[in-house]
Amino acid sequence: MGISVRHTWLAIAAAAGFSTCICGSAAAQTGEYPSDFDRHVAVDVASAASLGDAAVGAAALEDATVDAAAELDAAERDAPDRLDAPYAPPRLVPAREISAQDGISNNYEDIDDPPIAGDANVIDEAIDSAGAARESVIVDNNGDYIREDWVYEDDSSFAWLISSGTWLHRGRWFAQTEATLVHRSTAPQQILSDVPLLFQSQQFFSEAMTTETSGFGYEPGLRVTVGKYLGRDAENRDRTLEFTFWGLNDWTSQHAITAVAPASLFQLFRTPLDRGIGAYNFSTDHQYTYESDLNSFEMNAKVSRRLGRDRMVLTPDGQWERQCDPGKTPTFLAGFRTILIDEDFSFDAQRPELLDITSFGGAPIDLPAADGQYDISAQNRLFGMQLGAEMIQQHCNWSFGVRGKLGGYANFVEQSTRVRIVDPFVGLSESNRDERASDVQMAMVAEVGLIGTYQIRPNVALRCAYDFMYLQGLALAPQQLDFNSAPTPNVRSGSHQFLNGGSVGLEFVW
């Protein structure tokens, strides 16, 4: 039986090639990955070598070589052209179940291959020996990942870094509700009452009561924000539209002084606002009440930078854990704001009964009872635009930062005054005034604050803040005091107001 030299060398080459394939297949089954394809070819070279006819054995080896090459070519054609994440080498794990469509029993199933287009709503799971699912992925008809934060949690697989950086602020709507405690400055100091003094035949006056004698304290209020996420741009920034109400703060300040058992005119109160006005001069009682409230409404468009992609961190117990990537998240805003400030001020004076006292010259005189009521209401309606910014240092579970706003406003101011004075001692049986005036002034509002949050959950956060607000160009009620008998109705504006206070509340995202 003559065998040509050509066929002999062909048989030797085929045997060497298949030995390499067999070694590679064995390495793949032990966890070493010589290629990216889970295609294993096994050929029993020994059975081919035991053939009695060398020509038949060589032909069998040649046919096997052709079949192996064809199978590898097919594997290359089936390999995905593009992956949305780094491609992990395949692993062999026990099959979950026998496919009813296959009709055959497979001992192994390759679940590490990325999803293939057309596998709509297919869930592949690797189940460990205890039967618990350890990894999953859902794809749509286009082969895209439906669960965007999908990663392998099996410690024997690679971490797929395809998370979307949405550890925080995941949702379409958000709301913030905070209880506030705010302090407000009083009106610029104005002397309301004084007491005459006589020193070396010269008369002086000692300050007895001003508009700042009793200031405003801290008053509770409410701040509520409701917003919507409009989308995310290519620079990883959220665009939101939000509405904020801040207010329900009502401040009240009042003070009263009384002259006890006066024996002379030097022990009675007078007012520097008008030394000749009845009831308010040579009176035994002066008192004032100052009330103010503020409500703010604003609509802002905001652009906020998000954190970078979430990180996959290998924990000491060998598990992959998804964590946020801390960093600075600046925010810029522009919007429209309305601030409503309503104030009421009343200044009252009384001599409740007939007084028998001595005059400046020592002569006794009788002072009849007198009464004076001075009531003022002032309204400020601010309408304007504002710009603002925030700089937040965001960590995975907490954050802190600073925020600020600055706006220009048209202030529509109005004041109304009602005066009632009865004092027979100065020749006034009754003095009545009712007047009203309005105007438009320019105003400015500046606001700055410190803010901190703690994430109870990715969509629930505890918030706290301390804010400062300065308002300029206001018409405050005490400024409108005017005891002239026939004054020209007008509005005195240009005053300022300073507020500061803290807040604490919750933020929800859904």
Side-chain angles (χ1 to χ4, degrees):
M1 299 175 62
I3 301 176
S4 65
V5 176
R6 180 177 62 84
H7 287 94
T8 301
W9 283 107
L10 180 61
I12 294 173
F18 276 94
S19 296
T20 302
C21 293
I22 293 172
C23 293
S25 176
Q29 297 182 19
T30 58
E32 301 177 2
Y33 306 101
S35 68
D36 289 340
F37 309 102
D38 190 16
R39 307 300 185 202
H40 310 289
V41 180
V43 178
D44 190 354
V45 179
S47 61
S50 64
L51 294 176
D53 189 351
V56 175
L61 291 175
E62 185 175 1
D63 294 338
T65 302
V66 174
D67 294 339
E71 186 171 357
L72 290 176
D73 291 340
E76 293 179 355
R77 289 194 305 271
D78 294 337
D81 294 332
R82 180 185 63 81
L83 300 178
D84 291 336
Y87 181 71
R91 295 185 292 112
L92 296 179
V93 297
R96 179 175 70 256
E97 61 183 357
I98 300 175
S99 174
Q101 297 179 352
D102 294 341
I104 58 175
S105 175
N106 297 322
N107 292 328
Y108 295 92
E109 183 182 67
D110 181 9
I111 58 89
D112 279 327
D113 288 336
I116 300 174
D119 295 338
N121 299 325
V122 174
I123 302 177
D124 293 333
E125 295 181 348
I127 303 179
D128 56 18
S129 58
R134 302 181 66 183
E135 55 193 37
S136 64
V137 60
I138 305 177
V139 298
D140 60 15
N141 289 326
N142 297 322
D144 296 327
Y145 295 104
I146 295 177
R147 186 181 299 171
E148 64 178 3
D149 60 350
W150 169 66
V151 295
Y152 281 123
E153 297 178 357
D154 188 357
D155 57 358
S156 64
S157 65
F158 291 94
W160 291 54
L161 305 180
I162 59 174
S163 59
S164 61
T166 55
W167 176 253
L168 302 172
H169 308 296
R170 296 188 292 185
R172 297 186 178 182
W173 293 86
F174 62 91
Q176 302 167 4
T177 176
E178 301 170 74
T180 64
L181 197 62
V182 182
H183 177 271
R184 212 216 84 168
S185 65
T186 61
Q189 179 173 308
Q190 187 168 349
I191 299 176
L192 300 176
S193 309
D194 53 21
V195 179
L197 299 174
L198 188 62
F199 179 74
Q200 295 182 353
S201 300
Q202 293 185 359
Q203 182 172 306
F204 299 91
F205 290 91
S206 175
E207 180 182 301
M209 185 174 68
T210 73
T211 53
E212 292 184 342
T213 301
S214 178
F216 293 118
Y218 285 87
E219 292 296 330
L222 180 68
R223 177 162 48 207
V224 177
T225 298
V226 178
K228 187 179 189 309
Y229 290 101
L230 302 179
R232 194 179 310 171
D233 60 21
E235 298 182 9
N236 195 34
R237 298 179 303 184
D238 279 331
R239 300 180 182 273
T240 59
L241 184 66
E242 65 180 38
F243 170 80
T244 299
F245 166 78
W246 174 51
L248 303 183
N249 304 98
D250 296 313
W251 295 275
T252 300
S253 172
Q254 55 186 4
H255 191 75
I257 54 177
T258 301
V260 180
S264 70
L265 294 178
F266 288 100
Q267 296 175 322
L268 298 178
F269 301 119
R270 300 181 68 179
T271 177
L273 299 176
D274 190 334
R275 299 294 186 189
I277 196 72
Y280 288 88
N281 290 284
F282 310 112
S283 60
T284 59
D285 298 277
H286 277 188
Q287 64 179 8
Y288 78 86
T289 301
Y290 188 7
E291 298 178 348
S292 179
D293 63 73
L294 181 148
N295 293 287
S296 170
F297 308 84
E298 55 185 301
M299 179 72 74
N300 296 308
K302 302 176 69 173
V303 178
S304 307
R305 181 175 298 172
R306 300 182 60 87
L307 291 178
R309 287 183 178 272
D310 299 345
R311 304 177 300 176
M312 299 305 301
V313 179
L314 183 63
T315 59
D317 59 358
Q319 298 294 324
W320 288 103
E321 181 179 292
R322 174 180 175 178
Q323 295 181 1
C324 72
D325 184 14
K328 294 181 175 60
T329 57
T331 298
F332 300 95
L333 67 88
F336 179 81
R337 189 172 192 176
T338 299
I339 300 177
L340 311 180
I341 301 175
D342 294 317
E343 297 198 331
D344 293 298
F345 186 85
S346 63
F347 180 28
D348 300 331
Q350 289 181 335
R351 279 197 314 270
E353 58 185 0
L354 177 66
L355 295 180
D356 183 11
I357 60 177
T358 61
S359 65
F360 293 109
I365 59 173
D366 293 330
L367 288 179
D371 182 75
Q373 298 178 359
Y374 200 132
D375 299 319
I376 302 171
S377 294
Q379 294 84 36
N380 294 262
R381 302 289 184 263
L382 285 75
F383 300 90
M385 306 295 294
Q386 66 177 0
L387 299 174
E390 297 179 0
M391 179 57 73
I392 305 297
Q393 177 65 39
Q394 179 70 61
H395 295 264
C396 295
N397 293 322
W398 60 278
S399 69
F400 69 93
V402 61
R403 61 187 177 189
K405 301 174 187 175
L406 180 64
Y409 299 83
N411 185 11
F412 296 83
V413 296
E414 181 178 346
Q415 70 93 3
S416 60
T417 298
R418 180 180 182 272
V419 182
R420 298 289 184 269
I421 298 176
V422 177
D423 189 355
F425 178 70
V426 294
L428 293 176
S429 60
E430 185 173 357
S431 176
N432 298 329
R433 271 174 47 202
D434 290 285
E435 59 189 36
R436 183 182 299 271
S438 60
D439 198 1
V440 180
Q441 303 287 339
M442 295 303 299
M444 182 270 291
V445 177
E447 186 176 357
V448 64
L450 304 175
I451 183 172
T453 64
Y454 177 78
Q455 296 293 146
I456 302 175
R457 296 180 56 84
N459 62 330
V460 180
L462 177 66
R463 298 174 56 88
C464 61
Y466 200 92
D467 295 284
F468 303 85
M469 177 183 284
Y470 178 77
L471 302 94
Q472 175 64 41
L474 304 179
L476 303 182
Q479 285 183 281
Q480 316 308 317
L481 285 168
D482 188 351
F483 279 106
N484 292 326
S485 58
T488 302
N490 63 356
V491 180
R492 295 181 176 90
S493 59
S495 187
H496 64 270
Q497 190 177 109
F498 181 75
L499 302 96
N500 68 97
S503 62
V504 61
L506 294 173
E507 177 180 6
F508 304 92
V509 180
W510 69 94

